[in-house]
Amino acid sequence: MFGLKDFLFKGGAPAHLSEELRAAVETWRKSAVPAFDEAHFHVRYVVVDIASSGLKPESDELLEIAAASVQQAGILVPDDAGYLDFSGLRGDDPALDRQLLAFLQYAAKAPLVTYHVPYVGGFLQRAYKERLGINFQPQWVDLAWLLPSMFEEKSHSLQTLDYWLDLFGLGEGAGRRDAMDNTLLLARIFQMLLVRANGKGIDTARKLIDESRASSFLRRTH
């Protein structure tokens, strides 16, 4: 579950934040955490992808966040999706903070699903620490490591996203896609993964998160 320590202001809220934004972040921080021990069809998962100016979370810039929810027995909900574009915002623009807050409110502490957490999570963690003073550590499901665990007959090792898209008949060859396109494709893959996970007895969000962590650790260390 989310721990309070994961969402406390570290060293105080940044000085540039308005009182309104400070209050909104505090309201989010105190909001309820979903029940992760429910069956998948009771859980709202948020699939997320980003675009950035480079591949280094510690120095490159976050340009886009795209997200879509999968809920109600693994159904992708088109109306429950969002896209944020930071590319035209300067570093001191309060609109940047408001957009980051909007994603927090949208995600609502749901489990986050992406492909390659160190990249996506790294950029998000840096942005939330610098802009909102939050140590952003949600519960992640990393498809990059979980797919080989769930579909061992297809691959035993880490593959590119295009490999899985082609395998599941969702790809049109390798190529650059925007964050929203990637998010919707990841959501469709995740729907297939939920079916396989249920068949393996991994039938709750907590079990899926634990399996994701275990898969990442085992495949990184062996």
Side-chain angles (χ1 to χ4, degrees):
M1 303 291 275
F2 285 83
L4 283 178
K5 66 181 179 62
D6 294 334
F7 298 102
L8 292 172
F9 288 122
K10 299 298 182 181
H16 70 272
L17 282 186
S18 67
E19 288 301 318
E20 179 184 6
L21 281 173
R22 289 170 189 247
V25 171
E26 183 67 9
T27 297
W28 171 83
R29 186 180 66 80
K30 292 180 177 179
S31 63
V33 176
F36 289 169
D37 292 321
E38 296 282 350
H40 293 305
F41 62 85
H42 287 154
V43 177
R44 174 178 178 262
Y45 293 93
V46 172
V47 183
V48 59
D49 192 36
I50 66 166
S52 63
S53 63
L55 299 177
K56 298 179 180 179
E58 68 277 6
S59 58
D60 293 320
E61 295 303 313
L62 177 65
L63 301 178
E64 302 172 4
I65 300 176
S69 70
V70 173
Q71 54 188 314
Q72 300 171 355
I75 297 172
L76 174 63
V77 184
D79 291 339
D80 192 12
Y83 171 79
L84 300 174
D85 183 358
F86 307 116
S87 57
L89 302 178
R90 296 182 303 170
D92 59 353
D93 193 330
L96 177 57
D97 302 317
R98 289 194 295 270
Q99 290 202 47
L100 287 170
L101 175 64
F103 175 72
L104 284 185
Q105 294 171 331
Y106 166 82
K109 298 182 181 177
L112 300 188
V113 181
T114 194
Y115 201 89
H116 196 49
V117 167
Y119 167 68
V120 175
F123 275 95
L124 292 179
Q125 187 173 52
R126 176 188 163 204
Y128 281 104
K129 182 177 181 180
E130 292 181 354
R131 301 301 307 184
L132 300 184
I134 294 172
N135 183 22
F136 186 65
Q137 295 184 9
Q139 299 294 327
W140 285 105
V141 174
D142 194 337
L143 296 179
W145 299 99
L146 196 52
L147 282 166
S149 177
M150 293 293 99
F151 295 92
E152 292 181 328
E153 75 280 10
K154 305 297 184 183
S155 175
H156 290 280
S157 60
L158 187 68
Q159 300 288 347
T160 65
L161 175 56
D162 285 312
Y163 171 88
W164 294 105
L165 292 174
D166 289 340
L167 184 68
F168 293 125
L170 300 175
E172 296 179 357
R176 185 171 179 80
R177 295 175 294 269
D178 63 28
M180 193 73 248
D181 286 341
N182 261 355
T183 295
L184 295 175
L185 289 169
L186 288 174
R188 294 179 68 184
I189 288 178
F190 183 57
Q191 290 173 302
M192 300 177 192
L193 184 139
L194 284 180
V195 174
R196 178 61 67 97
N198 267 322
K200 290 177 174 284
I202 303 171
D203 53 3
T204 68
R206 168 58 56 205
K207 291 179 181 178
L208 192 66
I209 292 164
D210 289 346
E211 182 67 23
S212 176
R213 289 174 177 166
S215 297
S216 175
F217 175 77
L218 289 173
R219 293 177 188 279
R220 286 175 184 273
T221 56
H222 292 81

